[in-house]
Amino acid sequence: MKLDILCFGAHPDDVELGCSGTIAKEVSLGKKVGIVDLTRGELGTRGSVEIRNAESKKASEILGVTVRENLDMRDGFFINDETHQIKVIQMIRKYKPEIVICNAIDDRHIDHGKGSKLVSDACFLSGLRKIETSLNNESQEAWRPKVVYHYIQWKNIEPDFVVDISEFIEVKTKSILAYSSQFYTEDSNEPVTPIATKNFLESIHYRSQDFGRLVGVDYAEGFTVERYLAVNSLSDLK
């Protein structure tokens, strides 16, 4: 199965928080989009693996993604080495995406920056045919995505470009709230975490509004790039 876009997150809900509006928009345009979570977020203060598995399934249905997989790396302790790179390479070669989107290049949670570099490195290595991989006892062909983009998470990183998600802000919000164990609710007895506050919940909208403000739309999501963006003419820029 070939995908147009493959999104990676260190934890279930990273992708929803970072780029679910963009995913919903691309799906509405007929693109095939997949999500790969590196870990199951088992070290999270709230919820459990079983709860988060169910929540990620619900969020995937809301977004209409074609496929979602989990690589079962160790939350908090995965590293950017050959063993972990091969696991990501197998996913890239399996789905052959033109575009890969992954974690923020730097962030409050240590897994986010690690996951960003791991996926980015794997995207390059995946294009080297002398690195041999197989999946389900079948040899895989080399494949390198055309571009790698990074969504923005906790830290206020300056975006290289933004995507207008004005028509999809409610889908984004709904997909995030599918992770009800992780976020603020008035009747919750769970411990308070940085993302389980009313302020953080409200930030889903006001941060998207701020990115939208930069380009004169209601809501947007920001991304950074690893290389220069190319256009055919100045008229392609808005």
Side-chain angles (χ1 to χ4, degrees):
M1 181 192 303
K2 186 182 186 313
L3 298 176
D4 298 296
I5 303 170
L6 187 57
C7 303
F8 286 86
H11 314 103
D13 77 20
D14 282 357
V15 168
E16 284 81 2
L17 287 165
C19 64
S20 57
T22 300
I23 289 175
K25 185 171 189 175
E26 294 295 335
V27 169
S28 78
L29 296 173
K31 298 295 180 62
K32 291 183 178 180
V33 183
I35 298 174
V36 175
D37 300 308
L38 302 184
T39 78
R40 296 193 182 273
E42 63 270 21
L43 294 183
T45 302
R46 297 160 64 104
S48 66
V49 168
E50 293 75 21
I51 289 172
R52 297 189 78 169
N53 286 346
E55 291 171 342
S56 65
K57 181 179 179 181
K58 182 178 178 181
S60 299
E61 292 170 352
I62 291 168
L63 293 175
V65 297
T66 302
V67 66
R68 187 169 199 151
E69 297 206 34
N70 195 298
L71 295 183
D72 286 308
M73 296 179 184
R74 289 184 65 202
D75 189 13
F77 294 99
F78 71 83
I79 59 176
N80 184 9
D81 66 355
E82 180 179 352
T83 299
H84 292 81
Q85 289 165 357
I86 291 296
K87 287 186 176 184
V88 177
I89 290 170
Q90 288 172 323
M91 292 295 100
I92 295 168
R93 291 178 173 180
K94 178 179 181 179
Y95 293 113
K96 297 179 170 58
E98 302 298 319
I99 298 171
V100 163
I101 306 176
C102 56
N103 284 98
I105 55 174
D106 178 47
D107 211 42
R108 181 187 68 85
H109 196 301
I110 61 171
D111 280 356
H112 296 170
K114 284 194 300 179
S116 172
K117 189 67 166 62
L118 169 60
V119 173
S120 177
D121 288 351
C123 284
F124 177 81
L125 294 172
S126 182
L128 301 179
R129 63 184 183 87
K130 288 187 178 180
I131 297 177
E132 298 179 358
T133 62
S134 63
L135 195 64
N136 299 323
N137 296 317
E138 293 186 8
S139 296
Q140 294 181 299
E141 295 180 354
W143 180 270
R144 182 176 294 146
K146 291 180 179 177
V147 291
V148 179
Y149 300 140
H150 301 265
Y151 45 84
I152 294 171
Q153 298 182 260
W154 184 273
K155 291 187 177 181
N156 289 326
I157 297 174
E158 184 175 352
D160 292 315
F161 70 91
V162 301
V163 175
D164 179 5
I165 62 162
S166 299
E167 295 181 17
F168 300 93
I169 185 63
E170 295 310 321
V171 179
K172 175 184 177 76
T173 303
K174 189 176 179 181
S175 74
I176 292 170
L177 293 181
Y179 295 90
S180 57
S181 70
Q182 301 302 301
F183 302 109
Y184 170 82
T185 56
E186 290 184 357
D187 57 352
S188 175
N189 293 319
E190 293 271 14
V192 177
T193 69
I195 66 171
T197 64
K198 189 175 182 181
N199 184 20
F200 184 84
L201 197 61
E202 292 173 348
S203 77
I204 295 167
H205 278 71
Y206 70 64
R207 291 190 77 191
S208 295
Q209 285 180 309
D210 195 45
F211 283 134
R213 175 188 60 82
L214 297 176
V215 292
V217 301
D218 290 334
Y219 298 96
E221 289 174 334
F223 299 86
T224 61
V225 301
E226 298 188 3
R227 66 181 189 182
Y228 290 115
L229 294 173
V231 295
N232 290 323
S233 70
L234 292 177
S235 60
D236 291 332
L237 296 170
K238 295 182 180 180

